[in-house]
């Protein structure tokens, strides 16, 4: 009889985690990047004003997106296939390695792109049904 442990995959984590950032692409930008003539992307910085600090802009030629870093409470791990190796307790001459996976990066924040209008204003699309927003709202209701 098979057990739940018959398909174990060894897991390890690299001591040196590689730096990664995930970029959340709006659907229209993804479509443009997958087209026959994708736009050339450049990153510039906006000039700070008296009321706003400078920020990074992703330019596509026809559109500009403000780049915002968003933290996540659920880190994403980037995995790489690997193989187990002999430990000090194993006999290296008879050891048979097996497939495994290794975490090479832990991503705790993503880059969100928010469309900037021609007049420089950000086209903020309200996010709805986000877990953290529901949680914060329910916590506020319990206090009163």
């Amino acid at each position: 009889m098979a057990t739940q442990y018959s398909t174990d995959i060894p897991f390890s984590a690299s001591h040196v985690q590689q730096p990664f950032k995930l970029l959340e692409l709006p659907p229209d930008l993804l479509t443009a990047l997958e087209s026959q003539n994708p736009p050339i992307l450049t990153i510039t910085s906006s000039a700070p004003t008296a009321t706003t600090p400078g920020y990074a802009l992703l330019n596509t030629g026809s559109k500009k997106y403000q780049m915002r870093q968003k933290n996540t409470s659920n880190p994403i791990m980037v995995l790489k296939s690997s193989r187990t190796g002999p430990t000090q307790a194993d006999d290296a001459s008879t050891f048979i390695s097996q497939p495994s996976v290794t975490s090479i990066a832990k991503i705790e924040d993503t880059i969100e792109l928010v469309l900037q209008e021609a007049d420089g204003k950000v086209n903020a699309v309200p996010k709805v049904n986000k877990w953290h927003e529901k949680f914060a709202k329910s916590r506020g209701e319990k206090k009163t």
Side-chain angles (χ1 to χ4, degrees):
M1 178 176 176
T3 68
Q4 66 183 19
Y5 302 106
S6 64
T7 57
D8 283 353
I9 298 174
F11 173 82
S12 62
S14 173
H15 291 290
V16 178
Q17 296 285 294
Q18 296 180 21
F20 280 95
K21 296 280 186 193
L22 292 181
L23 186 62
E24 182 181 323
L25 296 177
D28 60 327
L29 180 54
L30 178 60
T31 301
L33 290 172
E34 291 176 332
S35 70
Q36 292 294 329
N37 297 311
I40 295 173
L41 303 179
T42 58
I43 297 175
T44 59
S45 60
S46 70
T49 66
T51 57
T52 61
Y55 46 83
L57 289 172
L58 179 75
N59 301 297
T60 66
S62 61
K63 294 183 179 179
K64 290 183 181 181
Y65 296 89
Q66 183 178 351
M67 301 174 73
R68 296 181 178 174
Q69 181 171 305
K70 298 290 183 177
N71 294 337
T72 177
S73 60
N74 298 320
I76 299 166
M77 293 190 319
V78 178
L79 303 177
K80 177 181 171 185
S81 63
S82 57
R83 297 196 66 84
T84 59
T87 64
Q88 291 180 344
D90 297 318
D91 180 0
S93 64
T94 59
F95 181 81
I96 300 172
S97 74
Q98 61 184 18
S100 63
V101 291
T102 301
S103 169
I104 60 168
K106 184 170 83 169
I107 301 167
E108 296 176 331
D109 45 53
T110 59
I111 304 297
E112 175 186 49
L113 299 179
V114 182
L115 184 61
Q116 187 175 40
E117 299 296 335
D119 59 3
K121 293 183 180 177
V122 174
N123 182 10
V125 178
K127 303 269 183 172
V128 293
N129 297 326
K130 292 289 187 179
W131 176 87
H132 66 278
E133 291 170 358
K134 289 180 181 181
F135 179 73
K137 183 179 178 184
S138 68
R139 289 194 69 186
E141 291 171 355
K142 288 179 183 177
K143 289 182 180 180
T144 57

